[in-house]
Amino acid sequence: MASKTKSKGTYYERSVMNIFDTYGYASIRTLGSGGGTKKPKPDIITSNGTNTYAIEVKQRNSNVLYISWSQINELKRFSITFGATPLIVYKFGRRPFKVIEANSIQKNNSKNYKITITDATMKLTNYIGAIE
């Protein structure tokens, strides 16, 4: 039986897929993302034939989310090889999903990239609507 954390992650990944599907994208979850292999893999790959995205999905009930630089770099590396735009889609509690393009993230001296609930990033539905 899957752990509660893993099934929650799966639930949010499927929720993101459903949002993209609403806009005419075809999406797949990559099994074993985040572990079980030495090759980097995102949580989701989605495309509408014109735009392709490799997506890491994060959810926190707190007001802060930390993402390791190694995870961001692996997402970027996969995206270059696959020809996709790397996205981090995240959600705080019951708030809507938001998105940040991983290529816009600049490394700093800390061990992790920090996203807070007050960061001015775009809602996922607005992001997808803007590229249509």
Side-chain angles (χ1 to χ4, degrees):
M1 182 174 188
S3 71
K4 188 174 185 179
T5 303
K6 195 166 247 196
S7 38
K8 267 185 163 181
T10 300
Y11 170 80
Y12 290 109
E13 290 167 7
R14 287 185 177 140
S15 297
V16 169
M17 288 174 56
N18 289 337
I19 293 169
F20 274 94
D21 291 350
T22 300
Y23 287 86
Y25 284 74
S27 306
I28 58 167
R29 286 182 57 241
T30 60
L31 297 177
S33 64
T37 178
K38 292 186 186 230
K39 296 192 179 219
K41 290 196 285 183
D43 294 322
I44 299 169
I45 301 168
T46 189
S47 181
N48 66 358
T50 303
N51 301 303
T52 302
Y53 299 99
I55 303 170
E56 277 295 322
V57 179
K58 302 292 180 190
Q59 189 278 335
R60 296 292 181 274
N61 288 322
S62 65
N63 294 336
V64 178
L65 165 66
Y66 294 96
I67 305 169
S68 72
W69 288 114
S70 63
Q71 191 169 26
I72 292 170
N73 289 332
E74 286 175 1
L75 176 64
K76 288 179 177 182
R77 232 178 18 249
F78 175 90
S79 298
I80 289 167
T81 303
F82 200 81
T85 301
L87 299 180
I88 298 169
V89 175
Y90 64 95
K91 181 177 181 64
F92 289 113
R94 296 178 183 256
R95 295 175 181 262
F97 282 103
K98 295 185 115 184
V99 65
I100 185 166
E101 290 186 358
N103 287 333
S104 71
I105 297 173
Q106 300 298 314
K107 186 157 181 12
N108 59 26
N109 292 329
S110 70
K111 292 181 181 178
N112 301 304
Y113 178 70
K114 179 181 176 182
I115 300 172
T116 67
I117 202 163
T118 57
D119 286 344
T121 57
M122 191 177 286
K123 282 175 50 177
L124 179 59
T125 52
N126 293 349
Y127 179 87
I128 301 169
I131 57 176
E132 290 301 306

